[in-house]
Amino acid sequence: MGWEAWSYTILLFIVGALFGSFFNVVGLRVPKGISVVAPRSSCGGCGRQLNAIDLIPILGWFIRRGKCHTCGSPISPVYIVGELAGGILFASLPFVVSENELWIAYPLVSVLLILTVSDLAYMLLPNKIIYPAMLLFTGLRLFIHPLPIWHYALGFVIGGGTLLAVSLAATWMGKPAMGFGDIRLMALVGLVMGIKLVLLCIFLSALLGSVIGVALIASGKLDRRSPIPYGPFIAVAGFICFCFGDPLMTWYMDLIVWQ
């Protein structure tokens, strides 16, 4: 890359880190019904309002060495992870998504980051985020649709309908049902990506959830009966499918043919 491309990428990383910091606030406050602009962010230990240094994305966490400089309480790594994720995703999207789809990609990763923070913190995917996102992507897909519109409408129905069926089946068998927030999120992913890629997302999110869940149980960090938030797996799978879904499906079909 030339210096102009590097400068553009660095700028996108900085912007993404700034937005990532804001997405942390939204994901932590909206489920609790707290305004995202007031009161100002403060230390969870001593209540001291954060100053300019504390609020610098990524660098602020390292400058403070992950602790409040007043009381020494640890600062949750969720903040720096969200900021890094925002920076990396914003900077990388132009390299993996077509120019037209960037209008979809940036709002999508923003919503997925917010919902991931919320689900990890409270095991909750708030309707106050999902429903406006559905309206936003419905409007965007009316103007930006590489596939026929019905693909996205069917993706919405199949995405949400598949998880609803799984939840009803689990209830019938006396097992924990899937949350309606997960069902709505998969419907949202289907609305954004269409029928073909939402089916891949359903499979990939289940695979990720199974592998990571088994790993956590085997390591003793999670009890077999403990609930685990499924939203982050949908978010990760959704991002992968949106950016790399078509090449993944082509690779898989070629693999089947060669076998």
Side-chain angles (χ1 to χ4, degrees):
M1 290 193 304
W3 70 270
E4 290 184 352
W6 275 110
S7 300
Y8 180 62
T9 301
I10 292 171
L11 177 61
L12 283 176
F13 180 87
I14 294 171
V15 172
L18 289 168
F19 273 101
S21 180
F22 177 67
F23 297 154
N24 283 333
V25 174
V26 176
L28 292 171
R29 291 193 179 192
V30 167
K32 299 176 70 175
I34 303 174
S35 169
V36 299
V37 294
R40 290 178 54 186
S41 298
S42 60
C43 171
C46 64
R48 176 188 62 86
Q49 287 191 344
L50 304 187
N51 57 30
I53 294 177
D54 299 315
L55 295 174
I56 299 174
I58 303 172
L59 289 178
W61 193 88
F62 284 105
I63 292 172
R64 299 304 190 194
R65 299 182 180 181
K67 297 180 180 180
C68 172
H69 80 282
T70 299
C71 68
S73 298
I75 301 171
S76 173
V78 167
Y79 293 99
I80 188 172
V81 170
E83 292 162 0
L84 280 169
I88 292 170
L89 292 175
F90 271 52
S92 63
L93 282 176
F95 296 98
V96 296
V97 176
S98 66
E99 186 174 349
N100 281 343
E101 285 291 274
L102 285 176
W103 293 96
I104 304 292
Y106 280 110
L108 177 62
V109 298
S110 300
V111 170
L112 293 180
L113 281 172
I114 291 170
L115 292 175
T116 295
V117 170
S118 174
D119 209 17
L120 288 174
Y122 311 114
M123 292 194 68
L124 181 66
L125 298 169
N127 293 333
K128 291 181 180 180
I129 302 297
I130 293 181
Y131 286 154
M134 287 179 176
L135 291 175
L136 171 64
F137 288 113
T138 298
L140 288 172
R141 276 304 184 208
L142 290 175
F143 296 96
I144 306 170
H145 50 92
L147 301 172
I149 290 292
W150 66 266
H151 279 255
Y152 303 104
L154 192 57
F156 176 85
V157 174
I158 295 299
T162 300
L163 292 201
L164 177 59
V166 170
S167 181
L168 292 175
T171 301
W172 181 72
M173 292 186 292
K175 296 182 178 181
M178 183 165 289
F180 279 98
D182 299 318
I183 295 169
R184 296 184 187 102
L185 177 54
M186 190 63 80
L188 173 64
V189 170
L191 174 64
V192 173
M193 298 193 296
I195 176 62
K196 181 175 68 173
L197 292 184
V198 79
L199 290 173
L200 178 61
C201 182
I202 292 170
F203 167 77
L204 186 56
S205 63
L207 178 62
L208 289 172
S210 299
V211 171
I212 295 177
V214 169
L216 290 173
I217 291 172
S219 65
K221 295 181 179 180
L222 184 71
D223 185 83
R224 187 181 299 272
R225 293 167 295 181
S226 299
I228 183 171
Y230 193 57
F233 300 119
I234 298 176
V236 172
F239 173 77
I240 293 173
C241 293
F242 183 82
C243 296
F244 310 106
D246 288 326
L248 278 174
M249 296 192 73
T250 300
W251 169 81
Y252 180 69
M253 295 304 297
D254 289 344
L255 187 66
I256 294 176
V257 170
W258 281 105
Q259 287 179 344

